[in-house]
Amino acid sequence: MKTTQILIAGFGGQGILFAGKFLAYKGLLEDLQVSWLPSYGPEMRGGTANCSVILSDDPVGSPIITDPDVLIVMNLPSLQKYVDTVVPGGQIYVDSTLISEKVSRTDVEVRCIPATQMASDAGVPTLANMVMMGHVLKNNPQLTFDGAETTVRKLVPPSKAQLVELNMKALQAGRDYQ
Amino acid sequence: MAIVFQKPRALTDAAFHYCPGCPHGIIHRLVAEAIDSLGIEGETIGVAPVGCAVMAYDYFACDMIEAAHGRAPATATGIKRCRPDSIVFTYQGDGDLASIGMAETVHAAARNENITVIFVNNAIYGMTGGQMAPTSLPGQVTQTSPYGRDVNHCGWPIRVCELLATLEGPEYVARVAVNSVKNVKAAGKAIRKAFQNQIDKKGFSLIEVVSACPTNWGMTPQKALEWVESDMLPYYPLGVYKDRSGAKEADAT
Amino acid sequence: MAERVLMKGNEAIAEAAIRAGCRHYFGYPITPQTEVAAYMAKKMPKIGGVFLQAESEIASINMVYGAAAAGMRVMTSSSSPGISLKSEGLSYIAGSDVPAFVVNVQRGGPGLGGIQPSQSDYFQATKGGGHGDYRMIVLAPASVQEMASLTVKGFNLADKYRMTAMILADGTIGQMMEPITFEDAEVETYDKPWALTGTKMQRPHNIVNSLYLKADELERKNFERYERYKVVEENEVMYEAYMMEDAEICVTAFGIAARVAKNAVVSARREGVKAGLIRPITLWPFPAQALRRAAEQVKSFVCVELNMGQMIEDVRLAIECTRPVSLCNRTGGMIPSPDQVLSAIRAAQKGVN
């Protein structure tokens, strides 16, 4: 695959970093070169959080993303902050439950999905992040849904095995959303 | 001919650099006698301070390390955690232990670090030439309190034993003095117990030795010892301030 | 081949340290390196090691001093303000010639500064943050893999030369995850006849000490120590040269700055600008010879740093100012973009054409 630069952003507590970890682990299991870089700081909950994931066949140079190929946003401030950084021809994924504003750019592919609402409806209200991921895997030409479950199993500690099923439920909901 | 008195084995042959009449020599000897009587020299690692006893590493025959000012309890912690079967002691003055090193002292005590601390309190900074110490008495004239220690300006002297005794951590905290034969004997006993506690893995033992500094107090050695009795001991009463298992043993009988 | 695992840079340091035989960790919490302590707190009790959270950075470095003097592989980790506090201990460790391993995951300064990545402790690390004549071996990883490999290397070098080896990383490398493999660590062991073990009544007492009141004796000690440092300078320099064969512009950068610079060098090549990169891996000993050789070939240097220009002084010294050296920098937690570095390369090219 070519180098894919993915920026995920939202509030702390939405599982932004975990979503990025999911993509990074998936890349690891697919023998790709991977980097995962979180924003870090005192904003553990409620503040802004973002995370940069780079997947590539070649060794990753700078892990810092200035022009993402894919932007995944789960709150309005993040959309406003990063919308103009996406490369032309790139993709923007928007949690439309939390962001009602329209994306004005026409040179990128915009996909809106009410992930927070869907997660709530599916009985997994804390896993809107994984609904988003399911949708991204399905609709990004560089990524694939195959191997999602193996990745989840790798990420979830054995003591919390029941979470595998819940994460898969969220991922599948995102995948199946049209 | 029977030998009735000799230098303890745990002291080297190096001549002390201490001033005439300085009780450091007595206290070194008491520590060395404790090491000898317990037969632990080969296992003992001593930590020297910054202060008058800075060169104690030349005087004790066991392995020695020179610590940074006030950090002896931290350095001792590092050694003890690596070599839990060795016997680790620090030898510190009042500036080292109760001023710049107060945090290290309190936290080593709070952790009940299994070390022995010998704390020499002579109410003054000796090596640097007689400045006010955290234990200098109210009104005491020093180079940096030339009009006498004004407690409204620079606070009150700290009673280390009383302070540490409030902690749950330490095993044994006692104050002794070396201004009379009787007190020297009692001090030796307390120091031995502080080492025995460590051998028995009971934890942190601190012996505060109320001492004198004839040179910087500007007194003859004899007068200095009298001043310990008349001025120091009323503010720093002798006694055992904490003895956790000792108290339990006493309860049991 | 060993399994590829995804790990944070800070965790990679901790795991590599354990594999290098470190069983004693003393530290104090500070962002952005806390994962090192957290990892050690979890692992050490399970492998018979010691993790102890000290009351301060000052206490922790002095615990390291004690443990090192006792002959053990021991480490501490911190970030910039914490390293300032540890500097006293680093000076004592140097003066006592005991080996220690110290990690600085840098954040912005001075003062409390910020918590975002920085390289502004270059001077502190390479010129000595503490008092007195001394050096530390300073290793600058640019990837999570190097966080691990340079940790093992650092422990070996510390023991070999009886001095402190410091990992000078930054918040980015500490916090990021990359796949790494742990090959079997090549743990070198060195006799430590000077260590505090207790005499067992079998030998004269060992003294670990940095006090020498006789001036001539202290001078002799310092001369001896610098003889040892000379051997380090002769044998332990590490650097990476990237696209330098025909380079006309030499970019110099370490750590995360070098990752960004590498992207810029690739872009410059695409535009037909012959750029290359020299990345010091050891900041002390500094790869002065490699830069001197490069100066015979290139027209100009660009030094990329996350500070106000610190390593640039060593670059200028190394090439004895025979070529222009320009600074491309961000500070305070900001990181230069590849485009910013590319612009600096272009400017350097124009300046010499």
Side-chain angles (χ1 to χ4, degrees), chain C residues 276-307:
Chain C
L277 170 75
I278 290 182
R279 171 173 76 92
I281 297 172
T282 50
L283 300 179
W284 193 89
F286 192 67
Q289 260 182 15
L291 288 166
R292 249 196 312 279
R293 279 197 302 272
E296 291 164 12
Q297 164 197 334
V298 306
K299 296 168 182 168
S300 180
F301 288 79
V302 176
C303 191
V304 186
E305 301 185 67
L306 274 62
N307 57 45

PDB file of all heavy atoms in Angstrom, chain C residues 276-307:
ATOM      1  N   GLY C 276      21.586  15.716   1.824  1.00  0.00           N
ATOM      2  CA  GLY C 276      21.863  14.494   2.586  1.00  0.00           C
ATOM      3  C   GLY C 276      21.697  14.802   4.063  1.00  0.00           C
ATOM      4  O   GLY C 276      21.489  15.962   4.444  1.00  0.00           O
ATOM      5  N   LEU C 277      21.777  13.766   4.891  1.00  0.00           N
ATOM      6  CA  LEU C 277      21.554  13.947   6.326  1.00  0.00           C
ATOM      7  C   LEU C 277      22.640  13.244   7.124  1.00  0.00           C
ATOM      8  O   LEU C 277      22.977  12.100   6.835  1.00  0.00           O
ATOM      9  CB  LEU C 277      20.184  13.366   6.716  1.00  0.00           C
ATOM     10  CG  LEU C 277      19.881  13.262   8.216  1.00  0.00           C
ATOM     11  CD1 LEU C 277      19.551  14.629   8.808  1.00  0.00           C
ATOM     12  CD2 LEU C 277      18.708  12.306   8.462  1.00  0.00           C
ATOM     13  N   ILE C 278      23.199  13.952   8.070  1.00  0.00           N
ATOM     14  CA  ILE C 278      24.034  13.275   9.081  1.00  0.00           C
ATOM     15  C   ILE C 278      23.301  13.389  10.405  1.00  0.00           C
ATOM     16  O   ILE C 278      23.007  14.483  10.881  1.00  0.00           O
ATOM     17  CB  ILE C 278      25.451  13.872   9.175  1.00  0.00           C
ATOM     18  CG1 ILE C 278      26.226  13.519   7.901  1.00  0.00           C
ATOM     19  CG2 ILE C 278      26.182  13.313  10.406  1.00  0.00           C
ATOM     20  CD1 ILE C 278      27.660  14.003   7.888  1.00  0.00           C
ATOM     21  N   ARG C 279      22.993  12.226  10.965  1.00  0.00           N
ATOM     22  CA  ARG C 279      22.241  12.167  12.220  1.00  0.00           C
ATOM     23  C   ARG C 279      23.160  11.631  13.314  1.00  0.00           C
ATOM     24  O   ARG C 279      23.450  10.429  13.351  1.00  0.00           O
ATOM     25  CB  ARG C 279      21.034  11.239  12.060  1.00  0.00           C
ATOM     26  CG  ARG C 279      20.311  10.955  13.376  1.00  0.00           C
ATOM     27  CD  ARG C 279      19.030  10.177  13.169  1.00  0.00           C
ATOM     28  NE  ARG C 279      19.236   8.767  12.884  1.00  0.00           N
ATOM     29  CZ  ARG C 279      19.259   7.801  13.809  1.00  0.00           C
ATOM     30  NH1 ARG C 279      19.110   8.095  15.084  1.00  0.00           N
ATOM     31  NH2 ARG C 279      19.435   6.541  13.458  1.00  0.00           N
ATOM     32  N   PRO C 280      23.620  12.490  14.199  1.00  0.00           N
ATOM     33  CA  PRO C 280      24.404  11.983  15.331  1.00  0.00           C
ATOM     34  C   PRO C 280      23.527  11.071  16.196  1.00  0.00           C
ATOM     35  O   PRO C 280      22.405  11.456  16.548  1.00  0.00           O
ATOM     36  CB  PRO C 280      24.801  13.240  16.101  1.00  0.00           C
ATOM     37  CG  PRO C 280      24.648  14.372  15.120  1.00  0.00           C
ATOM     38  CD  PRO C 280      23.526  13.958  14.220  1.00  0.00           C
ATOM     39  N   ILE C 281      24.015   9.891  16.485  1.00  0.00           N
ATOM     40  CA  ILE C 281      23.311   8.993  17.414  1.00  0.00           C
ATOM     41  C   ILE C 281      23.923   9.158  18.805  1.00  0.00           C
ATOM     42  O   ILE C 281      23.222   9.179  19.798  1.00  0.00           O
ATOM     43  CB  ILE C 281      23.391   7.536  16.923  1.00  0.00           C
ATOM     44  CG1 ILE C 281      22.683   7.418  15.560  1.00  0.00           C
ATOM     45  CG2 ILE C 281      22.763   6.580  17.945  1.00  0.00           C
ATOM     46  CD1 ILE C 281      22.860   6.082  14.874  1.00  0.00           C
ATOM     47  N   THR C 282      25.246   9.306  18.839  1.00  0.00           N
ATOM     48  CA  THR C 282      25.866   9.748  20.096  1.00  0.00           C
ATOM     49  C   THR C 282      26.059  11.258  19.990  1.00  0.00           C
ATOM     50  O   THR C 282      26.689  11.738  19.061  1.00  0.00           O
ATOM     51  CB  THR C 282      27.251   9.084  20.320  1.00  0.00           C
ATOM     52  OG1 THR C 282      28.037   9.235  19.132  1.00  0.00           O
ATOM     53  CG2 THR C 282      27.113   7.604  20.638  1.00  0.00           C
ATOM     54  N   LEU C 283      25.471  11.981  20.936  1.00  0.00           N
ATOM     55  CA  LEU C 283      25.642  13.447  20.944  1.00  0.00           C
ATOM     56  C   LEU C 283      26.936  13.798  21.674  1.00  0.00           C
ATOM     57  O   LEU C 283      27.573  14.796  21.393  1.00  0.00           O
ATOM     58  CB  LEU C 283      24.442  14.111  21.605  1.00  0.00           C
ATOM     59  CG  LEU C 283      23.095  13.825  20.908  1.00  0.00           C
ATOM     60  CD1 LEU C 283      21.968  14.519  21.648  1.00  0.00           C
ATOM     61  CD2 LEU C 283      23.137  14.254  19.456  1.00  0.00           C
ATOM     62  N   TRP C 284      27.277  12.984  22.652  1.00  0.00           N
ATOM     63  CA  TRP C 284      28.655  12.934  23.153  1.00  0.00           C
ATOM     64  C   TRP C 284      29.019  11.470  23.293  1.00  0.00           C
ATOM     65  O   TRP C 284      28.287  10.766  23.955  1.00  0.00           O
ATOM     66  CB  TRP C 284      28.838  13.645  24.504  1.00  0.00           C
ATOM     67  CG  TRP C 284      30.312  13.805  24.727  1.00  0.00           C
ATOM     68  CD1 TRP C 284      31.098  14.834  24.332  1.00  0.00           C
ATOM     69  CD2 TRP C 284      31.191  12.829  25.321  1.00  0.00           C
ATOM     70  NE1 TRP C 284      32.406  14.573  24.627  1.00  0.00           N
ATOM     71  CE2 TRP C 284      32.499  13.348  25.235  1.00  0.00           C
ATOM     72  CE3 TRP C 284      31.019  11.556  25.875  1.00  0.00           C
ATOM     73  CZ2 TRP C 284      33.616  12.653  25.702  1.00  0.00           C
ATOM     74  CZ3 TRP C 284      32.127  10.868  26.343  1.00  0.00           C
ATOM     75  CH2 TRP C 284      33.410  11.422  26.272  1.00  0.00           C
ATOM     76  N   PRO C 285      30.052  10.976  22.691  1.00  0.00           N
ATOM     77  CA  PRO C 285      30.976  11.723  21.825  1.00  0.00           C
ATOM     78  C   PRO C 285      30.309  12.143  20.514  1.00  0.00           C
ATOM     79  O   PRO C 285      29.579  11.369  19.928  1.00  0.00           O
ATOM     80  CB  PRO C 285      32.102  10.716  21.576  1.00  0.00           C
ATOM     81  CG  PRO C 285      31.483   9.366  21.782  1.00  0.00           C
ATOM     82  CD  PRO C 285      30.448   9.547  22.830  1.00  0.00           C
ATOM     83  N   PHE C 286      30.600  13.364  20.101  1.00  0.00           N
ATOM     84  CA  PHE C 286      29.967  13.954  18.919  1.00  0.00           C
ATOM     85  C   PHE C 286      30.709  13.498  17.650  1.00  0.00           C
ATOM     86  O   PHE C 286      31.937  13.447  17.658  1.00  0.00           O
ATOM     87  CB  PHE C 286      30.038  15.478  19.041  1.00  0.00           C
ATOM     88  CG  PHE C 286      29.174  16.212  18.053  1.00  0.00           C
ATOM     89  CD1 PHE C 286      27.795  16.138  18.132  1.00  0.00           C
ATOM     90  CD2 PHE C 286      29.750  16.979  17.040  1.00  0.00           C
ATOM     91  CE1 PHE C 286      26.993  16.825  17.221  1.00  0.00           C
ATOM     92  CE2 PHE C 286      28.961  17.670  16.132  1.00  0.00           C
ATOM     93  CZ  PHE C 286      27.574  17.587  16.219  1.00  0.00           C
ATOM     94  N   PRO C 287      29.962  13.192  16.585  1.00  0.00           N
ATOM     95  CA  PRO C 287      30.624  12.716  15.348  1.00  0.00           C
ATOM     96  C   PRO C 287      31.304  13.854  14.585  1.00  0.00           C
ATOM     97  O   PRO C 287      30.963  14.154  13.439  1.00  0.00           O
ATOM     98  CB  PRO C 287      29.478  12.108  14.541  1.00  0.00           C
ATOM     99  CG  PRO C 287      28.251  12.759  15.048  1.00  0.00           C
ATOM    100  CD  PRO C 287      28.505  13.118  16.482  1.00  0.00           C
ATOM    101  N   ALA C 288      32.269  14.472  15.218  1.00  0.00           N
ATOM    102  CA  ALA C 288      32.927  15.653  14.644  1.00  0.00           C
ATOM    103  C   ALA C 288      33.675  15.303  13.361  1.00  0.00           C
ATOM    104  O   ALA C 288      33.660  16.060  12.398  1.00  0.00           O
ATOM    105  CB  ALA C 288      33.873  16.265  15.668  1.00  0.00           C
ATOM    106  N   GLN C 289      34.322  14.121  13.375  1.00  0.00           N
ATOM    107  CA  GLN C 289      35.109  13.731  12.192  1.00  0.00           C
ATOM    108  C   GLN C 289      34.238  13.571  10.964  1.00  0.00           C
ATOM    109  O   GLN C 289      34.610  14.003   9.868  1.00  0.00           O
ATOM    110  CB  GLN C 289      35.837  12.425  12.471  1.00  0.00           C
ATOM    111  CG  GLN C 289      37.283  12.637  12.850  1.00  0.00           C
ATOM    112  CD  GLN C 289      38.001  11.325  13.080  1.00  0.00           C
ATOM    113  OE1 GLN C 289      37.495  10.267  12.700  1.00  0.00           O
ATOM    114  NE2 GLN C 289      39.151  11.401  13.690  1.00  0.00           N
ATOM    115  N   ALA C 290      33.082  12.928  11.163  1.00  0.00           N
ATOM    116  CA  ALA C 290      32.172  12.711  10.036  1.00  0.00           C
ATOM    117  C   ALA C 290      31.739  14.046   9.449  1.00  0.00           C
ATOM    118  O   ALA C 290      31.645  14.205   8.230  1.00  0.00           O
ATOM    119  CB  ALA C 290      30.963  11.910  10.495  1.00  0.00           C
ATOM    120  N   LEU C 291      31.502  15.014  10.321  1.00  0.00           N
ATOM    121  CA  LEU C 291      31.081  16.332   9.837  1.00  0.00           C
ATOM    122  C   LEU C 291      32.236  17.055   9.142  1.00  0.00           C
ATOM    123  O   LEU C 291      32.037  17.734   8.141  1.00  0.00           O
ATOM    124  CB  LEU C 291      30.532  17.166  11.004  1.00  0.00           C
ATOM    125  CG  LEU C 291      29.168  16.691  11.503  1.00  0.00           C
ATOM    126  CD1 LEU C 291      28.828  17.304  12.846  1.00  0.00           C
ATOM    127  CD2 LEU C 291      28.080  17.029  10.496  1.00  0.00           C
ATOM    128  N   ARG C 292      33.439  16.881   9.703  1.00  0.00           N
ATOM    129  CA  ARG C 292      34.620  17.492   9.071  1.00  0.00           C
ATOM    130  C   ARG C 292      34.806  16.958   7.654  1.00  0.00           C
ATOM    131  O   ARG C 292      35.065  17.707   6.723  1.00  0.00           O
ATOM    132  CB  ARG C 292      35.871  17.212   9.910  1.00  0.00           C
ATOM    133  CG  ARG C 292      36.437  18.447  10.579  1.00  0.00           C
ATOM    134  CD  ARG C 292      37.859  18.276  11.088  1.00  0.00           C
ATOM    135  NE  ARG C 292      38.086  17.076  11.866  1.00  0.00           N
ATOM    136  CZ  ARG C 292      37.769  16.965  13.168  1.00  0.00           C
ATOM    137  NH1 ARG C 292      37.192  17.964  13.809  1.00  0.00           N
ATOM    138  NH2 ARG C 292      38.033  15.846  13.812  1.00  0.00           N
ATOM    139  N   ARG C 293      34.639  15.630   7.526  1.00  0.00           N
ATOM    140  CA  ARG C 293      34.752  15.021   6.194  1.00  0.00           C
ATOM    141  C   ARG C 293      33.659  15.561   5.273  1.00  0.00           C
ATOM    142  O   ARG C 293      33.902  15.856   4.113  1.00  0.00           O
ATOM    143  CB  ARG C 293      34.662  13.488   6.291  1.00  0.00           C
ATOM    144  CG  ARG C 293      35.985  12.832   6.687  1.00  0.00           C
ATOM    145  CD  ARG C 293      35.958  11.342   6.369  1.00  0.00           C
ATOM    146  NE  ARG C 293      34.854  10.648   7.038  1.00  0.00           N
ATOM    147  CZ  ARG C 293      34.929  10.138   8.264  1.00  0.00           C
ATOM    148  NH1 ARG C 293      36.048  10.217   8.953  1.00  0.00           N
ATOM    149  NH2 ARG C 293      33.879   9.542   8.803  1.00  0.00           N
ATOM    150  N   ALA C 294      32.440  15.689   5.806  1.00  0.00           N
ATOM    151  CA  ALA C 294      31.329  16.190   4.991  1.00  0.00           C
ATOM    152  C   ALA C 294      31.616  17.618   4.522  1.00  0.00           C
ATOM    153  O   ALA C 294      31.276  17.990   3.394  1.00  0.00           O
ATOM    154  CB  ALA C 294      30.030  16.136   5.787  1.00  0.00           C
ATOM    155  N   ALA C 295      32.264  18.390   5.371  1.00  0.00           N
ATOM    156  CA  ALA C 295      32.530  19.795   5.033  1.00  0.00           C
ATOM    157  C   ALA C 295      33.445  19.911   3.817  1.00  0.00           C
ATOM    158  O   ALA C 295      33.406  20.905   3.083  1.00  0.00           O
ATOM    159  CB  ALA C 295      33.147  20.518   6.232  1.00  0.00           C
ATOM    160  N   GLU C 296      34.264  18.879   3.601  1.00  0.00           N
ATOM    161  CA  GLU C 296      35.148  18.907   2.428  1.00  0.00           C
ATOM    162  C   GLU C 296      34.352  18.723   1.142  1.00  0.00           C
ATOM    163  O   GLU C 296      34.818  19.042   0.064  1.00  0.00           O
ATOM    164  CB  GLU C 296      36.208  17.796   2.549  1.00  0.00           C
ATOM    165  CG  GLU C 296      37.210  18.071   3.656  1.00  0.00           C
ATOM    166  CD  GLU C 296      38.005  16.820   4.039  1.00  0.00           C
ATOM    167  OE1 GLU C 296      37.930  15.824   3.285  1.00  0.00           O
ATOM    168  OE2 GLU C 296      38.669  16.861   5.093  1.00  0.00           O
ATOM    169  N   GLN C 297      33.140  18.176   1.305  1.00  0.00           N
ATOM    170  CA  GLN C 297      32.337  17.803   0.141  1.00  0.00           C
ATOM    171  C   GLN C 297      31.145  18.743  -0.077  1.00  0.00           C
ATOM    172  O   GLN C 297      30.856  19.125  -1.203  1.00  0.00           O
ATOM    173  CB  GLN C 297      31.861  16.353   0.358  1.00  0.00           C
ATOM    174  CG  GLN C 297      30.731  15.886  -0.528  1.00  0.00           C
ATOM    175  CD  GLN C 297      30.088  14.615   0.049  1.00  0.00           C
ATOM    176  OE1 GLN C 297      30.723  13.862   0.775  1.00  0.00           O
ATOM    177  NE2 GLN C 297      28.841  14.381  -0.280  1.00  0.00           N
ATOM    178  N   VAL C 298      30.458  19.106   0.986  1.00  0.00           N
ATOM    179  CA  VAL C 298      29.224  19.874   0.811  1.00  0.00           C
ATOM    180  C   VAL C 298      29.509  21.373   0.817  1.00  0.00           C
ATOM    181  O   VAL C 298      30.580  21.815   1.246  1.00  0.00           O
ATOM    182  CB  VAL C 298      28.169  19.539   1.891  1.00  0.00           C
ATOM    183  CG1 VAL C 298      27.912  18.046   1.953  1.00  0.00           C
ATOM    184  CG2 VAL C 298      28.594  20.069   3.253  1.00  0.00           C
ATOM    185  N   LYS C 299      28.504  22.130   0.349  1.00  0.00           N
ATOM    186  CA  LYS C 299      28.681  23.570   0.270  1.00  0.00           C
ATOM    187  C   LYS C 299      28.131  24.262   1.506  1.00  0.00           C
ATOM    188  O   LYS C 299      28.526  25.378   1.841  1.00  0.00           O
ATOM    189  CB  LYS C 299      27.944  24.106  -0.958  1.00  0.00           C
ATOM    190  CG  LYS C 299      28.513  23.575  -2.270  1.00  0.00           C
ATOM    191  CD  LYS C 299      27.578  23.891  -3.415  1.00  0.00           C
ATOM    192  CE  LYS C 299      28.119  23.320  -4.727  1.00  0.00           C
ATOM    193  NZ  LYS C 299      27.112  23.358  -5.795  1.00  0.00           N
ATOM    194  N   SER C 300      27.181  23.579   2.134  1.00  0.00           N
ATOM    195  CA  SER C 300      26.480  24.279   3.199  1.00  0.00           C
ATOM    196  C   SER C 300      25.818  23.268   4.141  1.00  0.00           C
ATOM    197  O   SER C 300      25.523  22.144   3.732  1.00  0.00           O
ATOM    198  CB  SER C 300      25.430  25.192   2.558  1.00  0.00           C
ATOM    199  OG  SER C 300      24.735  25.896   3.542  1.00  0.00           O
ATOM    200  N   PHE C 301      25.597  23.684   5.383  1.00  0.00           N
ATOM    201  CA  PHE C 301      24.934  22.834   6.378  1.00  0.00           C
ATOM    202  C   PHE C 301      23.630  23.476   6.841  1.00  0.00           C
ATOM    203  O   PHE C 301      23.531  24.706   6.926  1.00  0.00           O
ATOM    204  CB  PHE C 301      25.824  22.642   7.610  1.00  0.00           C
ATOM    205  CG  PHE C 301      27.002  21.746   7.381  1.00  0.00           C
ATOM    206  CD1 PHE C 301      28.141  22.220   6.738  1.00  0.00           C
ATOM    207  CD2 PHE C 301      26.977  20.423   7.806  1.00  0.00           C
ATOM    208  CE1 PHE C 301      29.236  21.394   6.533  1.00  0.00           C
ATOM    209  CE2 PHE C 301      28.076  19.588   7.601  1.00  0.00           C
ATOM    210  CZ  PHE C 301      29.214  20.075   6.956  1.00  0.00           C
ATOM    211  N   VAL C 302      22.634  22.633   7.122  1.00  0.00           N
ATOM    212  CA  VAL C 302      21.393  23.096   7.748  1.00  0.00           C
ATOM    213  C   VAL C 302      21.209  22.271   9.015  1.00  0.00           C
ATOM    214  O   VAL C 302      21.183  21.041   8.962  1.00  0.00           O
ATOM    215  CB  VAL C 302      20.177  22.881   6.824  1.00  0.00           C
ATOM    216  CG1 VAL C 302      18.893  23.297   7.550  1.00  0.00           C
ATOM    217  CG2 VAL C 302      20.337  23.656   5.530  1.00  0.00           C
ATOM    218  N   CYS C 303      21.117  22.932  10.158  1.00  0.00           N
ATOM    219  CA  CYS C 303      20.971  22.211  11.425  1.00  0.00           C
ATOM    220  C   CYS C 303      19.519  22.340  11.892  1.00  0.00           C
ATOM    221  O   CYS C 303      19.024  23.451  12.104  1.00  0.00           O
ATOM    222  CB  CYS C 303      21.923  22.798  12.473  1.00  0.00           C
ATOM    223  SG  CYS C 303      22.038  21.783  13.936  1.00  0.00           S
ATOM    224  N   VAL C 304      18.852  21.193  12.019  1.00  0.00           N
ATOM    225  CA  VAL C 304      17.439  21.189  12.401  1.00  0.00           C
ATOM    226  C   VAL C 304      17.327  20.763  13.857  1.00  0.00           C
ATOM    227  O   VAL C 304      17.802  19.686  14.234  1.00  0.00           O
ATOM    228  CB  VAL C 304      16.628  20.220  11.516  1.00  0.00           C
ATOM    229  CG1 VAL C 304      15.139  20.336  11.842  1.00  0.00           C
ATOM    230  CG2 VAL C 304      16.883  20.487  10.042  1.00  0.00           C
ATOM    231  N   GLU C 305      16.724  21.607  14.680  1.00  0.00           N
ATOM    232  CA  GLU C 305      16.623  21.298  16.109  1.00  0.00           C
ATOM    233  C   GLU C 305      15.311  21.800  16.692  1.00  0.00           C
ATOM    234  O   GLU C 305      14.743  22.778  16.208  1.00  0.00           O
ATOM    235  CB  GLU C 305      17.761  21.987  16.890  1.00  0.00           C
ATOM    236  CG  GLU C 305      19.152  21.595  16.459  1.00  0.00           C
ATOM    237  CD  GLU C 305      20.215  22.220  17.351  1.00  0.00           C
ATOM    238  OE1 GLU C 305      20.285  21.850  18.524  1.00  0.00           O
ATOM    239  OE2 GLU C 305      20.957  23.093  16.865  1.00  0.00           O
ATOM    240  N   LEU C 306      14.881  21.140  17.766  1.00  0.00           N
ATOM    241  CA  LEU C 306      13.709  21.604  18.509  1.00  0.00           C
ATOM    242  C   LEU C 306      14.184  22.437  19.706  1.00  0.00           C
ATOM    243  O   LEU C 306      13.922  22.121  20.866  1.00  0.00           O
ATOM    244  CB  LEU C 306      12.885  20.407  19.007  1.00  0.00           C
ATOM    245  CG  LEU C 306      11.847  19.804  18.050  1.00  0.00           C
ATOM    246  CD1 LEU C 306      12.504  19.263  16.799  1.00  0.00           C
ATOM    247  CD2 LEU C 306      11.082  18.683  18.737  1.00  0.00           C
ATOM    248  N   ASN C 307      14.922  23.487  19.404  1.00  0.00           N
ATOM    249  CA  ASN C 307      15.433  24.386  20.445  1.00  0.00           C
ATOM    250  C   ASN C 307      15.922  25.650  19.756  1.00  0.00           C
ATOM    251  O   ASN C 307      15.763  25.796  18.540  1.00  0.00           O
ATOM    252  CB  ASN C 307      16.549  23.708  21.248  1.00  0.00           C
ATOM    253  CG  ASN C 307      17.683  23.251  20.341  1.00  0.00           C
ATOM    254  OD1 ASN C 307      18.129  23.980  19.463  1.00  0.00           O
ATOM    255  ND2 ASN C 307      18.150  22.029  20.529  1.00  0.00           N
TER     256      ASN C 307
END
